[in-house]
């Protein structure tokens, strides 16, 4: 199956954004999007994990589970692959950037249970994507996640210095902002269909 990479990229990033159209990965989206720097770090970690997880889960599913006729083991095997990758990312960030590791806090190991990461692997399997499409879906989907979380962080940084009614400060204004951003991303809904 031939794939137009540009259309596939735009579709994954904007039209089928994991946060704004599939509503997957909302926990780290709302929990880590306080600062742009932290959001970039989380976005890069998720991009690495989703891209490599898409590769490994495709290989495991198509070369091990399907030939052995044990496709029902896909969820547990996908979670084990994702957990291993997250451990690797956590060790790397802890060693290379202790300040980022500290600022990500509990959300870094929670990438293991980030439903967007597991969601992309299951979507790849359900859509019968080939190896290239699976990896592209993982990477571009993660870039859409990173775009969403960085945009949200930028808005939240601005909101910290804005004159907002007291009852809307903090989490309530974040939810309103996320809703408005989701509506804005709906403008891409006809592209790439």
């Amino acid at each position: 199956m031939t794939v137009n990479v540009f259309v596939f990229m735009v579709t994954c990033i904007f039209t089928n954004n994991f946060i704004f159209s599939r509503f997957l990965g909302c926990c780290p989206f709302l929990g880590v999007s306080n600062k742009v720097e932290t959001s970039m770090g989380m976005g890069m970690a998720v991009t690495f994990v989703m891209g490599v997880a898409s590769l490994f889960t495709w290989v495991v599913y198509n070369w091990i589970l399907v030939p052995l006729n044990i496709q029902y083991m896909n969820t547990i095997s996908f979670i084990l692959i994702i957990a291993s990758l997250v451990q690797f990312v956590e060790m790397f960030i802890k060693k290379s950037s202790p300040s980022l590791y500290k600022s990500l806090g509990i959300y870094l190991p929670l990438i293991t249970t980030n439903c967007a990461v597991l969601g992309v692997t299951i979507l790849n399997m359900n859509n019968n994507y080939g190896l290239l499409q699976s990896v592209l879906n993982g990477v571009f989907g993660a870039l859409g996640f990173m775009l969403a979380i960085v945009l949200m962080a930028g808005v939240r940084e601005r909101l910290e210095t804005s004159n907002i009614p007291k009852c809307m400060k903090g989490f309530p204004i974040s939810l309103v902002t996320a809703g408005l951003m989701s509506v804005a991303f709906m403008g891409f809904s006809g592209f790439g269909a």
Side-chain angles (χ1 to χ4, degrees):
M1 178 188 307
T2 352
V3 61
N4 183 332
V5 177
F6 178 73
V7 172
F8 196 69
M9 176 185 70
V10 173
T11 302
C12 290
I13 293 174
F14 297 107
T15 309
N16 296 324
N17 186 287
F18 279 100
I19 299 286
F20 296 131
S21 70
R22 298 186 191 267
F23 306 108
L24 296 172
C26 291
C27 177
F29 171 71
L30 293 170
V32 180
S33 62
N34 292 325
K35 295 185 190 256
V36 172
E37 183 182 327
T38 306
S39 298
M40 282 294 292
M42 174 60 91
M44 288 187 289
V46 168
T47 301
F48 175 79
V49 171
M50 282 177 78
V52 177
S54 295
L55 171 73
F56 287 157
T57 55
W58 187 91
V59 169
V60 166
Y61 183 76
N62 288 289
W63 291 356
I64 297 174
L65 300 180
V66 170
L68 294 175
N69 200 24
I70 54 172
Q71 295 92 325
Y72 59 88
M73 296 290 290
N74 65 353
T75 304
I76 191 75
S77 59
F78 291 178
I79 289 172
L80 288 172
I81 291 167
I82 292 166
S84 302
L85 291 170
V86 170
Q87 285 298 313
F88 174 74
V89 168
E90 188 174 3
M91 289 185 304
F92 177 78
I93 291 176
K94 187 175 185 179
K95 191 77 167 168
S96 65
S97 180
S99 60
L100 177 61
Y101 177 79
K102 187 174 181 179
S103 64
L104 289 174
I106 189 65
Y107 292 100
L108 186 58
L110 284 179
I111 294 174
T112 303
T113 59
N114 183 343
C115 52
V117 180
L118 181 60
V120 76
T121 61
I122 292 174
L123 283 169
N124 291 339
M125 180 191 63
N126 288 345
N127 292 333
N128 293 322
Y129 285 158
L131 180 60
L132 177 63
Q133 281 182 301
S134 294
V135 173
L136 289 177
N137 190 38
V139 171
F140 294 150
L143 290 176
F145 176 88
M146 183 163 62
L147 174 68
I149 198 169
V150 169
L151 286 175
M152 183 66 163
V155 171
R156 285 177 82 174
E157 282 184 357
R158 285 285 305 245
L159 288 173
E160 288 295 317
T161 60
S162 299
N163 188 13
I164 300 170
K166 195 174 191 175
C167 64
M168 291 297 290
K169 284 196 178 275
F171 198 65
I173 195 70
S174 296
L175 290 177
V176 170
T177 302
L180 292 173
M181 290 173 74
S182 181
V183 169
F185 271 68
M186 283 178 58
F188 296 101
S189 61
F191 187 80

